[in-house]
Amino acid sequence: MALEKARIVLDEEHHAVQQAAHDMGYQTPPTSPSAGTRTTTIVPGQVQHSHEPPSSRRASEALVELSRTTQDNPSSSSTTTLVPVSQSPQRLSGDRLRFVGAATRRIARGIDLDEIVMGLCRATVPTFSDAILVYLRDPLPVGDERPTGPLVLRLRRTDRIPAEQNTEYGVVPPIQPEMDPVGAELCEVQPGSALAEVLRGVRPVFTDAPTVRKALPELLGGIADFVTPGSQRAILAPLRGRRRVIGAALFLRRPKRLGFDTEDLLVAAQLATHSALGVERAVGDRHTASIAGELQRKMLPVALPRCTGVRLAFRYLPAAETARVGGDWYDAIPLPGSRVALVVGDVMGHSMTSAALMGQLRTTAQTLAGLDLPPQEVLHHLDEQAQRLGTDHIATCLYAVYDPVAHRITIANAGHPPPVLLELGGRAEVLRVPAGAPIGVGGVNFEAVELDAPAGATLLLYTDGLVESRLRDVWTGIEQLREKLAATAQLTGPDHPPPLEALCDEVLDMLGPGDRDDDTALLAARFDGIAPSDVAYWFLEPEDKAPGRARRLARRALSRWGMEELSDTVELLVSEVVTNAVRYATRPVTLRLLRTDVLRCEVGDDVPQLPRLRQARATDEGGRGLYLVNRLARRWGTTRLSTGKVVWFELDQPTPPPCRPGSHASS
């Protein structure tokens, strides 16, 4: 629908150009149609010519067709002759201004480079000229950067009146190799040459001037002879931007049409100026969008971390090429206690500012998650951060924390579309989460809800680009998403959830051709959880006997799990970490062992200061605890909490012994 509206607007602008040109004095003389003759009338409000695709026309073909006359094909079956109508100078001047205004508006409607060049061609052919050749600098300079190397012009587009609308060339002659040299498509402007002198000028010039006649072979190569000499039938207009020449436009008229006059030079100057400024704007916008896109890609995670008890998959789909970069983001952040924070957000707008603000909010969310704040507190601080960055910055965000031990998830929302939970049996449900106000509004109390997260269920977080477009509203899209998930789950049966990666691809398949107006971020979390039998949890009083009790408890748990091979290492490391904890703690110390694909040990206390790894001297009696942890553990780390800290380490599970020859593994 948006594209149709754009086409309607462009057609209206083109009709306005046709109307203004008609009022300038060019119209078909009244003739009576006879057998074998068809009279074509340019009617205001109707487009009477067609155009080739932007990159399909070559300069030689356009000039060969333009040079054909009625003597070459006297039996042509169509006649179109544009003649001037007598008007007063005042009215003609006013109509000329109307034409220039309509034509420049048509050019300004262009969004990208091709549309601007096409706007120049459609505004001038056939009303102002019968053909046009547009050359642009290759490569086009961006902003204030100074071009390096020689000035090279490349043919960007050619337009001309189709052969069926002109008696002056009927059958298009075949293009001979010698008529189609490389110079017609690519031209290197030599310093001090005639073409360089012409392009250095500010105003368009007639091609019958001696200097311009010398410059044409440089621009057109061997096909310059097809430009009819004399009678001012061609105008060469430099396309000059704010600082430098960025191209050239060659306007051509047929031999049977009146040549250009000095007033037409002013029209060509206006068209060239507006086109050059539009090209510079389009190049700058494209460069800015490219930088913003690269900035956004660098700020989004390339891969998500491996978290205990949950499997993750993500997709990011940028908007269509006509849109600028957006501010969608996603993240998964490991938290103490084997929990994981799932985040998805969307900054309003499509610009470099949106991408930069997205990076700042994502970094802030990671920092707040490291403090292990509740989800509603994280959104509150994100809201304050957005207000500090500016009063006009608005974003939506959904922040969820999954606990694989408790099989629960806590969710807080700031104006974001609600998540969808796909249960193991195939039932898809849109979770009822308080919507909240977007981030950046200020003065809002965010709420959090705690829900069940059963093993085998899949939580889907997404941005509005997935469910909202110009073809459907957001709630219709959410319902379609829910139905899509339920239908996909039916393919694998009630006892087996669909593969996570394939599920993400299926979800993106719901996007049609008209659904790419906005960026789309998708984060899927498959809840595996941790069984209660794989968790051991104790409280230890902060006393001298705590390390010894911790060793005994850890040994018993490892024996129950059949992991006696790790007993010596685990007892040593647990003893060192618990000793450090009870030395300064005033409340009970927590000890937890988790058996997943690795063995994880977590020791928590109420002291916020984080321990640091240091090299103990030979005479020191202590200070080697973390050194041993660093040497023996697979990985380790510390996390500051609102109530203290957690020190954790992980060990690889023992490898089962290989089966001996002749033995059989038990089933």
Side-chain angles (χ1 to χ4, degrees), residues 231-260:
S231 304
Q232 299 178 346
R233 300 202 170 276
I235 293 178
L236 180 59
L239 301 181
R240 176 173 292 276
R242 292 178 177 85
R243 295 172 179 84
R244 61 186 65 87
V245 172
I246 61 172
L250 183 63
F251 304 94
L252 302 160
R253 282 186 180 175
R254 296 178 283 107
K256 280 209 168 185
R257 185 175 178 177
L258 290 180
F260 294 105

Side-chain angles (χ1 to χ4, degrees), residues 155 317 479 559:
L155 182 65
L317 200 62
E479 179 60 23
S559 177

Side-chain angles (χ1 to χ4, degrees), residues 54-312:
S55 59
S56 65
R57 299 290 300 156
R58 298 181 68 85
S60 56
E61 184 178 346
L63 290 178
V64 167
E65 293 183 5
L66 188 67
S67 65
R68 300 280 293 176
T69 61
T70 52
Q71 287 78 11
D72 296 326
N73 187 15
S75 61
S76 175
S77 60
S78 63
T79 302
T80 302
T81 306
L82 299 179
V83 297
V85 174
S86 300
Q87 292 184 1
S88 64
Q90 294 81 3
R91 180 178 178 182
L92 187 59
S93 178
D95 291 337
R96 196 184 302 273
L97 291 177
R98 288 183 55 240
F99 167 73
V100 171
T104 53
R105 285 194 302 271
R106 175 65 181 85
I107 296 170
R109 289 284 186 183
I111 299 175
D112 56 19
L113 187 61
D114 288 332
E115 289 185 359
I116 292 171
V117 175
M118 183 182 69
L120 171 62
C121 295
R122 293 198 67 187
T124 55
V125 178
T127 53
F128 180 72
S129 63
D130 296 325
I132 183 174
L133 281 68
V134 181
Y135 288 82
L136 292 182
R137 192 165 190 154
D138 187 22
L140 282 165
V142 179
D144 295 330
E145 70 177 20
R146 297 183 63 86
T148 59
L151 171 59
V152 177
L153 298 180
R154 182 180 294 275
L155 182 65
R156 187 76 184 193
R157 183 183 174 103
T158 67
D159 270 33
R160 47 69 175 154
I161 302 177
E164 63 270 15
Q165 294 187 15
N166 288 273
T167 60
E168 312 207 17
Y169 48 91
V171 180
V172 179
I175 304 300
Q176 303 298 329
E178 62 271 12
M179 296 181 181
D180 196 19
V182 177
E185 306 299 328
L186 193 66
C187 168
E188 180 176 337
V189 182
Q190 300 296 331
S193 64
L195 181 58
E197 292 297 323
V198 173
L199 295 179
R200 188 183 302 174
V202 178
R203 298 184 179 278
V205 292
F206 294 121
T207 56
D208 58 352
T211 305
V212 185
R213 295 299 300 177
K214 295 179 181 178
L216 283 182
E218 300 179 42
L219 181 64
L220 303 177
I223 61 174
D225 295 337
F226 288 103
V227 178
T228 305
S231 304
Q232 299 178 346
R233 300 202 170 276
I235 293 178
L236 180 59
L239 301 181
R240 176 173 292 276
R242 292 178 177 85
R243 295 172 179 84
R244 61 186 65 87
V245 172
I246 61 172
L250 183 63
F251 304 94
L252 302 160
R253 282 186 180 175
R254 296 178 283 107
K256 280 209 168 185
R257 185 175 178 177
L258 290 180
F260 294 105
D261 56 27
T262 55
E263 296 294 330
D264 291 327
L265 289 178
L266 300 179
V267 173
Q270 290 290 328
L271 298 177
T273 299
H274 282 80
S275 300
L277 295 178
V279 168
E280 280 194 336
R281 171 180 55 80
V283 172
D285 290 346
R286 183 175 60 185
H287 182 67
T288 301
S290 175
I291 295 176
E294 183 66 21
L295 176 65
Q296 185 185 43
R297 286 188 292 272
K298 293 297 184 182
M299 290 187 295
L300 288 175
V302 178
L304 296 179
R306 294 185 58 187
C307 302
T308 304
V310 61
R311 285 172 287 168
L312 302 172

Side-chain angles (χ1 to χ4, degrees), residues 27-49:
Q27 62 184 18
T28 303
T31 57
S32 299
S34 58
T37 303
R38 178 171 55 87
T39 302
T40 302
T41 304
I42 296 181
V43 181
Q46 297 183 8
V47 180
Q48 295 290 337
H49 69 292

Side-chain angles (χ1 to χ4, degrees), residues 346 348 375-376 379-380 383 394-399 411-419 431-449 475:
D346 184 4
M348 301 298 183
Q376 65 270 24
L379 295 184
H380 173 73
D383 180 58
I394 301 295
T396 64
C397 181
L398 191 142
Y399 188 93
I411 306 175
N413 191 9
H416 203 78
L431 298 182
R432 296 183 178 180
V433 181
I439 291 172
V441 174
V444 179
N445 292 324
F446 298 100
E447 301 180 37
V449 294
W475 288 109

